[in-house]
Amino acid sequence: GCIAQCDAFAFFMTDTMLLLSCMKCKRITLGYAAEVLGISSYTLRYKINNDRDFKVSEVDKLCHLLGLNRDQRDLYFFRHVS
C-alpha cells in the first residue's frame, strides 16, 4: 500500500558531492542558486546535504540552472541508498 511506497522514497538522496562539483564547474554559487530558488543559502545547504528535502519545483529549477537532463537529474537528486 501507500506506506510501502512512501518508505521506498526514503532511500533516495541528493548526491551532495556530484551536485556541488557541478555547481563549481559551472561557476554557480550557493548564494546565486538559493536566490533562483527563492530560499536562503543556509536552507539550500541543508537540502544539498540531505538534512532537508528538496521540493520538486526546486529540483526542476536547479536542473534548468545547471542544464541537467532527466538522466542527470536522477543521478544528482535521486541517488539510491541501499
Side-chain angles (χ1 to χ4, degrees), residues 26-78:
K26 298 191 181 215
R27 298 179 183 209
I28 294 172
T29 65
L30 202 64
Y32 179 70
E35 185 179 323
V36 168
L37 297 178
I39 60 178
S40 73
S41 57
Y42 294 108
T43 299
L44 179 56
R45 185 170 297 282
Y46 280 124
K47 291 179 181 216
I48 289 174
N49 289 325
N50 292 291
D51 294 321
R52 293 191 186 157
D53 293 330
F54 277 104
K55 295 178 183 174
V56 173
S57 61
E58 294 168 339
V59 170
D60 287 343
K61 287 177 185 176
L62 276 176
C63 287
H64 181 74
L65 182 64
L66 297 171
L68 304 178
N69 63 33
R70 285 184 179 179
D71 290 337
Q72 291 168 318
R73 175 203 62 196
D74 292 348
L75 287 173
Y76 282 66
F77 294 99
F78 303 108

Side-chain angles (χ1 to χ4, degrees), residues 1-12:
C2 181
I3 294 173
Q5 290 175 351
C6 292
D7 286 347
F9 287 105
F11 297 102
F12 291 92

